Amino acid sequence: MILLRHSQSLHHLFCHHLRSNYRFSCFVVVRFARKMSVSVKYTKLFYNNEWHEAKSGKTFETVNPADGTKLADICEADKADVDVAVELAKKAFQIGSAWRSIDASKKGMLLLKLADLFERDIEYMAELETADCGKLFQDSKDDIKFTAGVIRYYAGWCDKICGQNIPCDGDYFAVTKKQPVGVCAAITPWNYPIAMFTLKLAPILACGNVFIGKPAEQTPLTALYIAALCKEAGFPPGVVAILPGYGPTAGAALANNMDVNKITFTGSTEVGKLIMKASGDSNLKRVTLELGGKSPNIIFSDYDNLEYAASVAQEAAMTNMGQCCCAGTRTFVQEGIYDKFVEISKMLAETRTVGSPMNDDSQHGPQIDSEQKGKILDLIESGKKEGAKVVFGGKSMDQSGFWVEPTVFADVEDGMRIAKEEIFGPVQSIFKFKTLDEVVKRANDTQYGLGGAVFTKDIDKAYTVASSIDAGTVWINCYNAGEANTPFGGFKMSGIGREYGEESLNNYLETKTVILKVPQKIN
Ligand code: NAI
Ligand code: MG
């Protein structure tokens, strides 16, 4: 999920594209190495408000994707550590515990304090985030600012979560209470490490649950730093645990644990299915999933600002180096403006500034790891073989670290692999269409349904398309806008449930109906 800033800053970006030249030099990398001497403060597992070695004694490396160098050795959690952390979390959730009996308003104050700490440490946290995941430094800062707002939004909910008062016949009286689900585990990805982690942490705590987070193995550093901030903010022991480790070990142990009441996951559709299955095989823990996408972005020929539409469309595909669940990877362009649109898209890609993620003017940094880089290059090759036209890019970049050129394909056909599979890399595919009916059918011809967009000046057309696209979010004349209060999530195989906004609270609450017999005797 990305943020309003992308749409707000597009005019700036477009002007920037026009000014700058495509460049990538060793000089940039050298500067990068000097600037990225970030010190890593926390490398151990966090539970019960203390730092612990892994029971197995094992550690794993986390590396900087911009140059492939090691940042730290991190203690590696697996089932034994998960079991201990879950026991302590259960204890923190017991009736009568400090957390279970905390005033709703006090809970809100703790979250507000946490948001303040995010802002206090924004520079350091952004450096850590950029070093660990290769995200542009300015984007890391924007993510942290946005995330502080998300925490404050859920802090505000703490004393506003209410049930209903239901009229009953006779002497009965019913109320519903909204109660926390209990032990909530969050398994998060590497593409927006701070934002995805906190998007789960904040509503889980606001609803009065206890939290166990497993960050992606590629990006454990900022989650561990958030653990320290939670302790500093004053959350009682056992309420927050952070267990870095691998998916099939630590992640699967959480998904299969009989005392974890809820699991909220963001990542691949493949692993989302495993998590649903683990829930069914264990204790039917509640499951929220935010998975992949292949989002369509439809540009009609009546749209009056082609440069703007093309710029937004390219950002939609390439923001965060394309590592974005709602990336607008299928750009559908109406036939009358198709050639001109492709020409502008080529110019935009050519002038995209590639360089160190720490440089203020960089628009394009590295991919997360060699596995993802390999997957992206394989799909790019398939596009070439299947006959799509490479308008720009299409190759690996010969640098240490994991770099792929910003890539634009035109004349893409619906049956090609690049039209169907989630690439999760900096690849824009441009398709030609003739009519509204045709493009809506083609846009929906996918197993995914996370996002979509339409560019037109015709309100009837805009609303018809927005109503017809099977996706959790549809943007009109913009892309990637969204705030703490706008629900986000997927139709079809893009997921189950919604995050952000009031809807996210439902993921972490149970409804309890209390029925009283109260004979009314008034003499
Ligand atoms: P992944 O789905 O394997 O990883 C996401 C999280 O799930 C990580 O914390 C990982 O440790 C955990 N995980 C992995 N296997 C698990 C298991 N068996 N049980 C419990 N947890 C498990 O994603 P990966 O391998 O990093 O990327 C593969 C593809 O997934 C990408 O190319 C992209 O298409 C998609 N993806 C989508 C994301 C999104 O935002 N929706 C984020 C990351 C990846
Ligand atoms: Mg995986």
XYZ file of all heavy atoms in Angstrom, residues 3 5-6 9 12 122-123 126-127 129-130 134-146 356-363:
260
model
N 1.112 5.593 -0.597
C 0.563 6.692 0.137
C 0.314 7.889 -0.756
O 0.829 7.988 -1.862
C 1.577 6.996 1.230
C 2.251 5.702 1.715
C 3.467 5.967 2.513
C 1.303 4.829 2.464
N 1.425 10.646 -0.895
C 2.557 11.448 -1.359
C 2.926 11.168 -2.804
O 3.378 12.038 -3.512
C 3.780 11.194 -0.478
C 4.252 9.774 -0.582
C 5.573 9.546 0.102
N 6.085 8.276 -0.332
C 5.790 7.143 0.243
N 4.990 7.119 1.295
N 6.266 6.018 -0.211
N 2.711 9.929 -3.270
C 3.131 9.616 -4.635
C 2.338 10.411 -5.653
O 2.871 10.882 -6.625
C 3.000 8.120 -4.908
C 3.957 7.328 -4.091
N 5.303 7.542 -4.130
C 3.752 6.353 -3.190
C 5.909 6.725 -3.296
N 4.986 5.995 -2.704
N 3.286 14.149 -5.321
C 4.605 14.560 -5.777
C 4.836 14.277 -7.257
O 5.917 14.465 -7.758
C 5.666 13.832 -4.955
O 5.527 12.450 -5.149
N 6.066 17.144 -9.437
C 7.484 17.356 -9.158
C 8.326 16.295 -9.882
O 9.313 16.601 -10.533
C 7.712 17.279 -7.652
C 9.144 17.054 -7.297
N 10.063 18.059 -7.293
C 9.816 15.915 -6.978
C 11.239 17.572 -6.968
N 11.130 16.279 -6.764
N 13.179 9.536 13.314
C 12.887 9.311 11.887
C 14.170 9.176 11.044
O 14.241 8.309 10.165
C 11.932 10.401 11.337
C 11.494 10.056 9.914
C 12.510 11.784 11.421
C 10.317 10.873 9.427
N 15.171 9.987 11.310
C 16.376 9.943 10.471
C 17.066 8.579 10.613
O 17.416 7.936 9.622
C 17.368 11.056 10.868
C 16.912 12.446 10.514
C 16.936 12.730 9.015
O 17.833 12.220 8.319
O 16.034 13.467 8.545
N 14.962 5.712 9.175
C 14.957 5.741 7.702
C 16.279 5.202 7.150
O 16.304 4.476 6.149
C 14.681 7.147 7.198
N 17.371 5.525 7.822
C 18.677 4.989 7.379
C 18.705 3.467 7.508
O 19.196 2.756 6.631
C 19.822 5.592 8.198
C 20.211 6.963 7.732
C 21.395 7.529 8.503
O 22.131 6.751 9.142
O 21.578 8.761 8.450
N 16.107 1.459 7.557
C 15.167 0.879 6.587
C 15.806 0.822 5.193
O 15.776 -0.207 4.513
C 13.894 1.743 6.557
C 12.784 1.237 5.637
C 11.834 0.275 6.332
O 12.285 -0.481 7.221
O 10.651 0.255 5.978
N 16.416 1.927 4.797
C 17.027 1.989 3.463
C 18.201 1.012 3.361
O 18.354 0.322 2.350
C 17.463 3.427 3.143
O 16.282 4.199 2.949
C 18.319 3.514 1.891
N 16.820 -1.358 0.739
C 17.174 -0.704 -0.531
C 16.177 0.342 -0.983
O 16.325 0.933 -2.056
N 15.179 0.615 -0.157
C 14.173 1.634 -0.492
C 14.833 3.009 -0.548
O 15.768 3.285 0.201
C 13.133 1.591 0.626
C 11.936 2.496 0.455
C 11.050 2.437 1.696
C 10.394 1.099 1.869
N 9.318 0.853 0.909
N 14.350 3.893 -1.423
C 14.907 5.243 -1.485
C 14.763 5.905 -0.113
O 13.714 5.787 0.536
C 14.184 6.088 -2.543
C 14.174 5.529 -3.974
C 13.446 6.487 -4.902
C 15.581 5.237 -4.477
N 15.796 6.630 0.317
C 15.817 7.218 1.661
C 14.609 8.136 1.891
O 13.967 8.100 2.943
C 17.131 7.987 1.848
C 17.289 8.582 3.201
C 17.372 7.782 4.331
C 17.348 9.967 3.364
C 17.524 8.334 5.606
C 17.507 10.527 4.631
C 17.590 9.706 5.746
N 14.296 8.940 0.868
C 13.153 9.846 1.025
C 11.861 9.043 1.196
O 10.978 9.421 1.981
C 13.061 10.795 -0.181
C 12.093 11.951 0.018
C 12.336 12.731 1.327
O 13.459 13.109 1.661
N 11.274 12.943 2.110
N 11.739 7.927 0.496
C 10.549 7.081 0.647
C 10.497 6.468 2.045
O 9.419 6.338 2.636
C 10.528 5.958 -0.400
C 10.128 6.463 -1.788
O 9.771 7.654 -1.888
O 10.170 5.675 -2.751
N 11.665 6.075 2.579
C 11.690 5.536 3.944
C 11.178 6.587 4.917
O 10.365 6.294 5.802
C 13.110 5.135 4.356
O 13.553 4.039 3.587
N 11.625 7.832 4.737
C 11.172 8.898 5.644
C 9.667 9.134 5.495
O 8.949 9.281 6.483
C 11.945 10.190 5.367
C 13.294 10.181 6.052
C 14.176 11.323 5.676
C 13.867 12.625 6.329
N 14.949 13.600 6.144
N 9.215 9.149 4.241
C 7.775 9.354 4.018
C 6.961 8.212 4.629
O 5.892 8.428 5.195
C 7.481 9.444 2.513
C 7.953 10.768 1.930
O 8.298 11.671 2.706
O 7.990 10.891 0.688
N 7.478 6.988 4.508
C 6.771 5.837 5.102
C 6.645 6.006 6.619
O 5.617 5.690 7.206
C 7.525 4.524 4.828
C 7.312 4.002 3.412
O 6.621 4.685 2.621
O 7.826 2.913 3.102
N 7.719 6.484 7.247
C 7.710 6.627 8.712
C 6.729 7.728 9.126
O 5.953 7.553 10.064
C 9.133 6.892 9.244
C 10.007 5.661 8.971
C 9.114 7.204 10.745
C 11.502 5.903 9.096
N 6.739 8.841 8.384
C 5.776 9.924 8.688
C 4.351 9.410 8.547
O 3.494 9.630 9.400
C 5.956 11.092 7.706
C 7.043 12.048 8.108
C 7.065 13.228 7.134
C 8.505 13.604 6.850
N 8.760 14.143 5.526
N 4.109 8.719 7.448
C 2.767 8.180 7.200
C 2.386 7.204 8.314
O 1.272 7.209 8.835
C 2.752 7.471 5.841
C 1.412 6.894 5.480
C 0.439 7.674 4.875
C 1.114 5.563 5.750
C -0.803 7.144 4.549
C -0.117 5.020 5.429
C -1.083 5.818 4.824
N 22.244 5.475 -5.986
C 22.190 5.075 -4.590
C 20.853 5.454 -3.971
O 20.374 6.582 -4.145
C 23.298 5.782 -3.807
O 22.978 5.741 -2.435
N 20.241 4.548 -3.216
C 18.978 4.909 -2.568
C 19.146 6.047 -1.560
O 18.170 6.657 -1.160
C 18.544 3.617 -1.868
C 19.661 2.662 -1.961
C 20.628 3.148 -2.986
N 20.382 6.342 -1.173
C 20.609 7.442 -0.222
C 20.653 8.803 -0.914
O 20.574 9.833 -0.259
C 21.921 7.220 0.547
C 21.851 6.155 1.604
S 20.551 6.443 2.832
C 21.245 7.806 3.766
N 20.799 8.838 -2.235
C 20.888 10.123 -2.931
C 19.510 10.771 -3.039
O 18.534 10.103 -3.386
C 21.445 9.936 -4.348
C 22.893 9.518 -4.332
O 23.526 9.495 -3.285
N 23.410 9.167 -5.500
N 19.462 12.062 -2.802
C 18.175 12.766 -2.836
C 17.517 12.697 -4.208
O 16.301 12.719 -4.318
C 18.376 14.243 -2.464
C 18.696 14.377 -0.984
O 18.423 13.416 -0.227
O 19.235 15.433 -0.600
N 18.328 12.652 -5.269
C 17.732 12.702 -6.606
C 17.461 11.316 -7.201
O 16.974 11.206 -8.316
C 18.606 13.525 -7.557
C 19.989 12.908 -7.749
O 20.340 11.992 -6.959
O 20.700 13.332 -8.675
N 17.774 10.243 -6.476
C 17.524 8.909 -7.042
C 16.035 8.632 -7.125
O 15.278 8.945 -6.218
C 18.169 7.831 -6.171
O 19.563 7.853 -6.319
N 15.648 8.008 -8.241
C 14.254 7.574 -8.391
C 14.170 6.062 -8.486
O 13.078 5.510 -8.509
C 13.660 8.197 -9.662
C 13.545 9.687 -9.605
C 13.271 10.250 -10.966
O 14.102 10.169 -11.875
N 12.094 10.806 -11.139
